[in-house]
Amino acid sequence: MNIAFLASEVIPYAKTGGLADVAGALPKFLGRLGADVRVFMPYYREVRAKHLPLRTVVAKASLDLGCGPKEYSVLEHAGNGFSVLFIVRDEYYDRECLYGTPAGDDPDNGERFAFFARASLEAMKALGFRPDIVHGHDWQAATAFAYLKFPYVNDPFFQGTRSLFTVHNLAYQGLFPPEVLASVGLPASLFNMNDLEFYGKVNFMKAGILYATAVSTVSPRYSREIQTPEFGCGLDGLLRTRSKALSGILNGVDYADWDPASDRLIPANFGPSDMAGKAVSKSGLLRMFGLEGAPDRPVAGMVTRLAGQKGVDIVCEALEDIFRLGVSVIILGTGEQKIQEFLTKAHKKHPDRLGLKIAFDERMAHTIYAGSDFFLIPSRYEPCGLTQMYALKYGTVPVVRATGGLDDTIREFAQAGTGNGFKFEAASAPALLEALRRALAVRARKESWEALVRNAMSADFSWSRSAREYLALYEKVRTAPRT
Ligand code: ADP
């Protein structure tokens, strides 16, 4: 089966969050199941800086989406089990950040990502890669479904093509002024409620939800949640109309990158039968964050975007109480100015209790997963969440809010010795503290704690299972009528 993946970030080339982990790992596992997957992504400055071995597959092509012809080229890289095709257009992608600066999103993101989607479809034709499935991820790829539905509707090349749109986070929809349609080569007539109009704007994500043959999300619970007003971000009604075509497949973990037994980014390796390396990793972590003065204190780690979604403000509110419980906190994250400022102040006040790094740093992230005792994820909503799955593998016990994928993957630890973490319902500091108290009580009982850590480390969220589910979904979508 030929699968064309369209994703705006893919590990190990460019990453701001979980989408990159998924788009880099799933193709590898689909490849092992016999699918021919080609991954299309923009050629960002940070990709160029990696000096990858590349082959030019389209030297010079041009696209006119309404603002005059714009040139691009396509470079191919032999990835880990799949081929990656980079869309090169420096005016759009040779920038410091993928989507914008801390001051805000890039104003031309509509044109940039529509161009990426359209050039990817053109590249498929140039390469003679006829996809059975175009699998696009999030709003950045979503105009591909509008192009397949309108300008390419009678193109013989795509007659056998069906499509899948995966929503990784419904809150980021790609909203642009109505004029964007004219500059991305889509008919102005799509500016109506039943197509892409959304409260006076053009909504790219609607193109994926409306025009893809099928829609998926990254956990079963999130696929149900987004059909409710609470989690639907204004699109729940539309999603309900597509409920028959909507499903949820839990993301997986690529244990080649996330296994404490082989991870080269952590201070010492360890596994369920030899945990000595976890203690060494904890010492390394405490040194890294200047907390080595209190080696016996339990550590609660966080690796997160500093965004309202992630409930970091709940941790901020609970911080002093967490310290009173005798727990140190280590946070690695980037994001909203307000949260950064609060944490920076708190760090100045409690340098011996709070470890803080405002950065995106893969090594530090791995060290936090390896060296912490608990991992805090108080998300307001969580489409899937990867960090709880990584924490589990490193024997770091998740304390999470019961929402989305967190609820699907974490089971409350019980006296009987079952469960792999702690969950709370309310998005509030008292609820978080109460769950942390339960976690500390278990930690105080050596045997129970060891049973809990064993359960955590034995959880298997390998991609091989989820990749099989995707393949089954592709098979179903492939025989569905065109939308
Ligand atoms: P989301 O995609 O909503 O941010 P996920 O839990 O799905 O959340 O994925 C987050 C991914 O990004 C994980 O791989 C996590 O380790 C990583 N990550 C988040 N913030 C940082 C950071 N500051 N430094 C390094 N890795 C980070």
Side-chain angles (χ1 to χ4, degrees):
M1 196 181 319
N2 288 349
I3 316 287
F5 248 62
L6 270 64
S8 60
E9 51 182 277
V10 182
I11 54 143
Y13 311 107
K15 166 171 170 175
T16 70
L19 168 60
D21 290 4
V22 175
L26 176 56
K28 180 168 129 185
F29 284 82
L30 288 168
R32 286 184 195 162
L33 296 173
D36 182 352
V37 188
R38 312 280 168 98
V39 177
F40 295 79
M41 71 173 287
Y43 192 61
Y44 301 111
R45 183 178 298 174
E46 67 177 272
V47 181
R48 184 189 300 272
K50 292 193 163 63
H51 302 291
L52 303 164
L54 296 165
R55 191 167 71 92
T56 302
V57 289
V58 177
K60 198 168 160 188
S62 169
L63 257 183
D64 187 349
L65 297 183
C67 316
K70 291 190 185 287
E71 284 181 2
Y72 67 99
S73 58
V74 185
L75 300 174
E76 185 180 34
H77 171 67
N80 190 359
F82 55 91
S83 142
V84 187
L85 293 136
F86 293 110
I87 306 298
V88 186
R89 178 167 173 80
D90 289 348
E91 179 209 351
Y92 283 154
Y93 312 123
D94 182 20
R95 298 185 187 177
E96 187 68 33
C97 300
L98 271 52
Y99 310 122
T101 61
D105 290 344
D106 287 351
D108 60 349
N109 273 350
E111 286 86 3
R112 290 175 76 213
F113 288 100
F115 189 91
F116 155 63
R118 185 68 182 261
S120 299
L121 294 168
E122 282 297 313
M124 290 169 213
K125 292 174 76 172
L127 295 167
F129 182 74
R130 205 180 283 270
D132 295 297
I133 307 285
V134 168
H135 186 175
H137 299 264
D138 273 351
W139 72 262
Q140 292 90 340
T143 50
F145 304 98
Y147 293 132
L148 288 171
K149 171 91 179 170
F150 299 103
Y152 292 116
V153 66
N154 293 319
D155 190 317
F157 189 81
F158 291 113
Q159 286 313 297
T161 297
R162 299 293 182 272
S163 57
L164 175 65
F165 176 54
T166 297
V167 177
H168 293 255
N169 193 333
L170 191 67
Y172 300 89
Q173 300 178 354
L175 298 177
F176 303 101
E179 301 76 53
V180 79
L181 288 173
S183 52
V184 302
L186 286 171
S189 59
L190 295 183
F191 193 69
N192 77 83
M193 231 177 78
N194 296 319
D195 287 291
L196 303 186
E197 194 264 343
F198 185 75
Y199 298 102
K201 296 251 168 80
V202 169
N203 183 324
F204 277 16
M205 190 166 247
K206 272 185 95 179
I209 297 171
L210 277 166
Y211 309 138
T213 320
V215 180
S216 74
T217 65
V218 287
S219 71
R221 179 162 166 169
Y222 192 60
S223 73
R224 296 188 296 274
E225 285 175 342
I226 58 174
Q227 297 179 61
T228 66
E230 188 188 350
F231 293 96
C233 304
L235 293 173
D236 47 293
L238 176 63
L239 285 157
R240 284 196 298 276
T241 67
R242 294 231 60 198
S243 65
K244 282 203 178 70
L246 175 62
S247 58
I249 299 179
L250 198 67
N251 282 338
V253 176
D254 186 350
Y255 290 117
D257 293 335
W258 298 99
D259 183 346
S262 52
D263 191 331
R264 277 175 297 178
L265 298 176
I266 61 178
N269 292 122
F270 59 93
S273 57
D274 178 9
M275 292 292 281
K278 177 133 181 111
V280 178
S281 293
K282 181 167 177 179
S283 306
L285 174 66
L286 294 175
R287 256 196 319 281
M288 189 178 252
F289 283 88
L291 297 177
E292 62 271 42
D296 299 325
R297 245 184 244 149
V299 169
M302 289 186 86
V303 177
T304 183
R305 286 186 291 115
L306 301 176
Q309 175 204 340
K310 298 291 182 181
V312 192
D313 53 308
I314 298 172
V315 175
C316 292
E317 196 188 322
L319 207 52
E320 303 269 349
D321 286 320
I322 297 177
F323 298 152
R324 268 182 223 114
L325 290 174
V327 176
S328 298
V329 176
I330 291 183
I331 301 178
L332 169 67
T334 53
E336 289 170 20
Q337 198 70 30
K338 208 169 69 223
I339 307 177
Q340 288 190 25
E341 280 164 14
F342 180 95
L343 289 172
T344 307
K345 258 195 212 143
H347 180 238
K348 281 209 180 94
K349 191 168 164 204
H350 299 284
D352 55 337
R353 291 284 176 155
L354 176 63
L356 177 68
K357 185 75 186 177
I358 305 291
F360 196 94
D361 187 312
E362 205 65 47
R363 179 180 294 277
M364 278 189 167
H366 282 243
T367 307
I368 294 174
Y369 291 115
S372 303
D373 300 288
F374 306 110
F375 203 83
L376 299 183
I377 319 180
S379 303
R380 292 210 153 66
Y381 69 93
E382 195 56 76
C384 175
L386 293 168
T387 61
Q388 80 278 16
M389 301 200 234
Y390 300 155
L392 286 171
K393 187 69 179 173
Y394 289 76
T396 297
V397 172
V399 178
V400 309
R401 194 160 165 256
T403 182
L406 295 171
D407 196 43
D408 283 337
T409 52
I410 301 303
R411 279 168 301 118
E412 176 83 16
F413 183 73
Q415 287 293 347
T418 56
N420 56 10
F422 298 90
K423 295 205 266 200
F424 56 97
E425 292 287 334
S428 72
L432 165 69
L433 286 162
E434 183 46 40
L436 194 55
R437 272 191 210 100
R438 294 200 301 278
L440 286 165
V442 173
R443 190 170 185 271
R445 298 194 302 270
K446 189 166 181 290
E447 267 180 33
S448 299
W449 179 254
E450 283 172 1
L452 168 55
V453 170
R454 261 198 313 278
N455 293 351
M457 296 181 86
S458 66
D460 179 8
F461 293 108
S462 160
W463 264 115
S464 31
R465 185 182 38 82
S466 297
R468 274 196 296 275
E469 283 185 51
Y470 271 105
L471 210 53
L473 179 57
Y474 294 151
E475 288 292 359
K476 203 170 121 192
V477 169
R478 195 183 188 179
T479 55
R482 292 177 87 186
T483 40

